[in-house]
Amino acid sequence: MPRISPRLVREALWHSRLLPPLLRANPEIAMAKQELRWIKNELPRDQWRDAITRRSKLEPLQYILGTQPFGELDIECRPGVLIPRWETEEWVTKLSNLVASRCPKKNIHIVDACTGSGCVPLLLNHQLNGQSDISSQIVGFDISLEAFNLANHNLARIDNSTPNVKFKQLNLFSESLVQELAVDEVDILVSNPPYIPKEDFYSSMYMNGVEKSVRLYEPALALIGENEFYEALLAQLILPMKIKAFVFELGYQLQVDFVKTFLEGKGWEVGSMNDGSGKIRCVLGWRKEMDFMQKLAEEKSS
Amino acid sequence: MIPLVRLAGRSPCWIVWATKWTRPYSTVDVSGTLEKLASVPKIHPLLIQRAEVMQAEFKTIEAKVAEGNFEQELSIRFSNLSIILDNYNQYKSDMAAFDELKELISEEGQDHELVEEAVAEIEATIPQVQRSVQVLQSRLLPQQKYSDKPCILELRPGVGGSEAALFTEDLMQMYINFANTKRWKHHIVSRSEGNNGFVNEVIISIDDPGAFQALRHESGVHRVQRIPLTESKGRIHTSTAAVVVLPKISEGNESSLKEDERLFAPGEVRIDTMRAGGKGGQHVNTTDSAVRLVHIPTGITVMQQDERSQPRNKAKAFSILRARLAALEREKEIVEQRRMRTDQVTTTDRSDKIRTYNYPQNRVTDHRCGFSLHDLTGCMAGSKLEELMEKVEEHEFEQRLEELIAQERKA
């Protein structure tokens, strides 16, 4: 942890007595102030001190406040389940806008593998049912029981009435995955699988690694993985179920290349997509009948 | 005359007769009433001309509506005109009645009691007529743009360092108090502080349709003269804060965001998200959700970071951007109108100071109309602000009238 200068502490103290501990998690005072304001806005007074102590030990603010905004939704977050990221929010929004405006099929079936808090199916459902005449059936699954419970909890919190979204507890690597999933037809497969290689998970932020707060508090189960997840997604779901399009989140060009070589000569088109800060974020593929998907991939070049 | 006779019943009859005969005409003093009558404002002939034109237009529209034409624009115009013409007819009948009464009292040898009654009637109706004249006048003047919109107030400290920042907060409180006294809904959109811990920008949104109409004269530089809290030697400082009043065009929430985004051509607005470096994605769990919009044709930059949700920040930023663009457009129009006129009018440019808050003297002076309010605490508490604003409004109204007259004269 870099040393916090006494000057900065004094400056923080001048603003509020509660501010200095937050400097451990936020090197910049403006960000610390912002967090203090959110804590004050969203928690009752008697929990402030506790929240600040937890934050000073680098616990993610989302676990402390209990929620993370995701698109127009508020997703509840609990320790043991990955916090939804803004990059995911970004590509899910783009995808749902594209499907709503360009998809020729009006009743669309989507599966989300490694769903975690359930944020991706819930936002997709919200966006698709909110802005178009498309009806969607979405199934999300995750291996972790904690994630499964939280996803169901989020579903109940956000929209209990729609039977369009279902969650299951399934292992992506299971032999009988297709039977267990029990879905006849899938049009689009989406996933945000673990994609941080082990050596990066244990190295510092400055060495292409992960933030300390992520390493200390978020589940390694949802984070550590390399190509094996993409291989499983392709071999276990895409090919046997004859899925027509997919979008997977990832963090490395190598993973894009892996997916590309895996699908070479199998009648698939594969592209990649960058996030808002210009980093490689998604690989997507489509078969001929879903070629509107290339609109997402084209955004990479522009 | 009967009561007079009865009253004088006990005194000898001839006194009564003498009284009557020595005063054969009215004894009521009518000169004061006549003066008052003269002071009732007449509507400028040009405006009356306008009203006549409107009446003609109304007739044609009425005919169209009667034929069954129900276009939205037409029906709006129809209802607008009918309100104005109602006022106009009211004014005409009021004036006709006044003329009759005036004739009555100024005529020599009128019946004493009749004159008294007429005077009483005139005195009673004068305030009502004055009001109706004002209403008609403001209706006849062309509508100001965005007069039916809520508004966004942007406050920033000017010269004077930390004292200016403190004054900015006082001003913010003043407008919030004012909104409270008017029972207008309002909220603080964003508030940012500089490195020294003092506020450097506050944006308040006042969500009453018509808030823009009421507050638009507040735009400009407000000057304060007082002994600041930060002053140790008791000297009076002068500092300033700038207030910008913008018409609020869009709500600034997620549902208005889509429409706002659609309004701009692709590439017209650059959207920057302030994300920290590093790998991103699962590697970090930042809560930084700041959004910056840059409107490329004008160079206007809007930054929003108060909300945890990025789309919400973006929606707010778009709402502010649209408000600023609308204000810019309005300003351009005003400048254009001014240029067409030859005579000089004092500017209401925002570079001028418009108002001084003098704490030692408990005085607020508006420099545009030269009016001084000697109740600074009342003004800052929001209750007396309206009085001040009314004076400015009147002044502006006169100016617009002059402008209109000058324009018509040129044309």
Side-chain angles (χ1 to χ4, degrees):
Chain A
M1 198 183 293
R3 183 174 166 270
I4 301 165
S5 74
R7 220 187 98 238
L8 200 62
V9 174
R10 225 176 302 129
E11 210 176 289
L13 262 177
W14 192 89
H15 180 77
S16 162
R17 208 161 44 84
L18 300 169
L19 198 57
L22 290 176
L23 290 174
R24 290 204 195 133
N26 303 282
E28 277 173 43
I29 200 159
M31 201 58 219
K33 274 184 194 168
Q34 190 90 275
E35 287 197 355
L36 181 62
R37 198 169 61 240
W38 288 331
I39 288 173
K40 283 182 173 177
N41 279 346
E42 297 190 21
L43 295 177
R45 199 181 197 106
D46 55 331
Q47 288 176 26
W48 291 356
R49 184 179 284 274
D50 177 50
I52 287 160
T53 322
R54 279 166 72 187
R55 185 67 185 133
S56 74
K57 291 175 189 158
L58 298 184
E59 186 168 341
L61 189 70
Q62 292 93 330
Y63 287 154
I64 298 170
L65 299 177
T67 59
Q68 166 69 16
F70 194 72
E72 290 174 24
L73 307 175
D74 259 334
I75 298 287
E76 196 165 310
C77 303
R78 285 183 204 153
V81 183
L82 189 79
I83 298 164
R85 303 292 203 256
W86 68 267
E87 288 92 343
T88 315
E89 174 184 337
E90 193 180 65
W91 69 253
V92 171
T93 313
K94 278 186 189 170
L95 176 68
S96 60
N97 285 341
L98 185 73
V99 170
S101 61
R102 304 286 290 272
C103 186
K105 227 179 138 198
K106 290 298 160 210
N107 185 15
I108 193 156
H109 297 262
I110 303 174
V111 167
D112 178 33
C114 311
T115 195
S117 58
C119 56
V120 176
L122 290 171
L123 185 60
L124 277 174
N125 177 54
H126 179 82
Q127 299 269 74
L128 288 178
N129 291 337
Q131 55 172 255
S132 66
D133 52 343
I134 289 182
S135 67
S136 55
Q137 301 288 324
I138 309 175
V139 178
F141 69 86
D142 202 294
I143 189 173
S144 138
L145 179 65
E146 277 167 307
F148 171 69
N149 287 339
L150 181 63
N152 272 326
H153 176 74
N154 272 322
L155 174 64
R157 263 186 70 222
I158 289 162
D159 196 354
N160 210 2
S161 58
T162 56
N164 300 340
V165 181
K166 276 195 199 101
F167 291 108
K168 296 185 174 175
Q169 193 195 352
L170 296 175
N171 183 358
L172 176 64
F173 295 93
S174 153
E175 294 281 314
S176 53
L177 179 64
V178 176
Q179 289 83 40
E180 286 166 37
L181 194 59
V183 181
D184 306 329
E185 192 195 0
V186 180
D187 300 303
I188 304 176
L189 178 69
V190 291
S191 181
N192 178 14
Y195 54 71
I196 304 175
K198 223 175 195 140
E199 61 272 21
D200 277 0
F201 186 75
Y202 292 109
S203 55
S204 89
M205 267 257 290
Y206 307 101
M207 308 285 291
N208 257 344
V210 305
E211 219 178 15
K212 206 167 176 184
S213 155
V214 175
R215 187 160 52 239
L216 290 176
Y217 289 93
E218 292 199 78
L221 180 69
L223 293 164
I224 301 177
E226 253 186 287
N227 292 337
E228 69 271 20
F229 280 92
Y230 300 101
E231 191 179 350
L233 285 165
L234 295 167
Q236 295 260 65
L237 290 170
I238 297 278
L239 298 181
M241 293 193 77
K242 301 199 165 38
I243 294 170
K244 295 171 199 114
F246 65 83
V247 182
F248 303 148
E249 186 174 323
L250 42 68
Y252 300 83
Q253 185 61 43
L254 283 174
Q255 292 161 340
V256 179
D257 297 341
F258 173 82
V259 172
K260 271 187 182 163
T261 43
F262 191 96
L263 287 175
E264 222 160 65
K266 292 193 173 78
W268 281 83
E269 299 228 30
V270 180
S272 63
M273 188 169 129
N274 288 3
D275 64 21
S277 51
K279 302 201 173 69
I280 187 85
R281 191 55 59 206
C282 283
V283 61
L284 54 147
W286 61 93
R287 288 214 310 239
K288 238 184 221 122
E289 55 262 52
M290 298 283 256
D291 61 352
F292 67 88
M293 291 283 286
Q294 72 188 34
K295 186 120 196 311
L296 282 181
E298 274 165 7
E299 292 193 356
K300 183 194 144 203
S301 51
S302 66
Chain B
M1 288 304 108
I2 295 157
L4 194 68
V5 176
R6 267 197 205 147
L7 222 157
R10 283 186 217 145
S11 51
C13 223
W14 62 269
I15 298 180
V16 177
W17 284 111
T19 334
K20 193 168 182 189
W21 283 115
T22 45
R23 293 188 181 163
Y25 48 85
S26 151
T27 52
V28 184
D29 182 22
V30 293
S31 61
T33 318
L34 281 176
E35 251 169 51
K36 270 189 200 160
L37 253 182
S39 76
V40 169
K42 284 264 167 54
I43 287 193
H44 195 275
L46 267 170
L47 285 181
I48 295 203
Q49 233 175 39
R50 237 179 107 85
E52 298 291 346
V53 171
M54 277 179 179
Q55 208 153 29
E57 192 189 344
F58 182 74
K59 266 178 198 150
T60 57
I61 290 181
E62 203 177 20
K64 271 187 202 165
V65 171
E67 276 167 28
N69 191 338
F70 289 114
E71 278 167 47
Q72 201 188 359
E73 228 168 84
L74 200 72
S75 60
I76 289 174
R77 184 76 188 145
F78 180 76
S79 64
N80 278 347
L81 279 180
S82 67
I83 293 171
I84 295 173
L85 290 178
D86 272 352
N87 281 321
Y88 180 53
N89 291 336
Q90 174 73 34
Y91 168 77
K92 272 206 295 198
S93 68
D94 278 346
M95 280 299 149
F98 261 2
D99 279 346
E100 256 173 46
L101 289 171
K102 208 159 106 184
E103 229 168 68
L104 197 89
I105 57 172
S106 51
E107 222 171 77
E108 293 260 326
Q110 266 293 352
D111 189 6
H112 180 104
E113 235 177 56
L114 216 59
V115 171
E116 239 176 24
E117 257 171 41
V119 166
E121 196 178 331
I122 288 175
E123 301 250 338
T125 45
I126 278 181
Q128 190 195 326
V129 172
Q130 264 171 341
R131 214 172 306 130
S132 78
V133 165
Q134 253 177 13
V135 169
L136 177 63
Q137 226 161 13
S138 61
R139 289 252 159 83
L140 279 175
L141 273 182
Q143 275 275 318
Q144 288 281 69
K145 216 170 180 184
Y146 307 124
S147 58
D148 55 341
K149 294 277 186 237
C151 79
I152 292 176
L153 286 171
E154 297 185 343
L155 310 162
R156 291 186 196 83
V159 287
S162 49
E163 155 69 357
L166 290 176
F167 178 60
T168 306
E169 296 213 43
D170 290 344
L171 275 184
M172 174 190 84
Q173 203 50 54
M174 178 178 86
Y175 288 120
I176 287 177
N177 291 341
F178 176 68
N180 279 336
T181 57
K182 298 281 262 182
R183 292 173 190 273
W184 286 346
K185 266 171 88 177
H186 56 83
H187 65 270
I188 296 177
V189 177
S190 85
R191 186 200 143 93
S192 53
E193 288 170 0
N195 284 333
N196 52 6
F198 286 105
V199 64
N200 62 14
E201 185 187 73
V202 193
I203 300 179
I204 326 173
S205 159
I206 298 183
D207 307 316
D208 188 85
F212 180 67
Q213 172 70 11
L215 286 167
R216 71 201 151 89
H217 303 301
E218 298 299 300
S219 249
V221 173
H222 296 235
R223 183 173 74 165
V224 64
Q225 292 173 324
R226 66 177 174 191
I227 304 163
L229 289 175
T230 48
E231 165 68 41
S232 53
K233 296 201 181 78
R235 292 171 294 197
I236 291 179
H237 288 215
T238 300
S239 12
T240 63
V243 176
V244 181
V245 184
L246 308 170
K248 190 176 181 185
I249 312 280
S250 88
E251 275 307 307
N253 52 27
E254 279 111 338
S255 46
S256 70
L257 174 62
K258 274 173 201 146
E259 194 205 319
D260 290 348
E261 276 183 309
R262 213 176 302 132
L263 268 170
F264 295 99
E268 196 180 347
V269 179
R270 198 180 74 219
I271 304 170
D272 298 335
T273 44
M274 315 281 160
R275 306 295 194 176
K279 287 289 299 175
Q282 292 174 358
H283 296 70
V284 288
N285 60 18
T286 173
T287 48
D288 195 357
S289 55
V291 173
R292 184 174 62 195
L293 301 184
V294 184
H295 186 245
I296 292 163
T298 57
I300 293 176
T301 314
V302 184
M303 165 105 179
Q304 280 296 307
Q305 54 183 19
D306 283 11
E307 296 279 343
R308 275 173 71 208
S309 148
Q310 199 198 63
R312 245 166 268 164
N313 275 333
K314 205 201 257 177
K316 274 186 173 181
F318 262 107
S319 149
I320 294 169
L321 176 65
R322 280 193 65 190
R324 286 198 191 155
L325 286 173
L328 200 70
E329 188 193 336
R330 189 173 158 264
E331 235 158 69
K332 253 190 216 157
E333 250 169 45
I334 291 174
V335 167
E336 196 67 22
Q337 282 170 3
R338 288 258 159 80
R339 197 181 297 140
M340 291 197 296
R341 278 190 305 116
T342 43
D343 54 339
Q344 280 285 299
V345 180
T346 49
T347 64
T348 46
D349 199 77
R350 71 171 70 148
S351 56
D352 283 0
K353 64 171 190 294
I354 58 160
R355 202 176 282 166
T356 298
Y357 301 75
N358 191 310
Y359 278 70
Q361 296 172 16
N362 192 29
R363 165 179 66 86
V364 186
T365 302
D366 198 287
H367 301 293
R368 289 165 296 184
C369 59
F371 175 74
S372 285
L373 176 75
H374 290 278
D375 183 3
L376 187 128
T377 30
C379 178
M380 297 311 273
S383 52
K384 283 292 172 65
L385 182 60
E386 192 165 16
E387 195 181 321
L388 201 60
M389 278 159 56
E390 265 168 17
K391 290 280 189 253
V392 182
E393 175 85 47
E394 263 168 42
H395 174 74
E396 196 250 357
F397 181 77
E398 274 163 31
Q399 253 186 22
R400 272 172 63 203
L401 196 65
E402 265 171 36
E403 237 168 77
L404 191 81
I405 291 162
Q407 251 176 33
E408 304 256 333
R409 211 173 275 153
K410 261 184 87 183

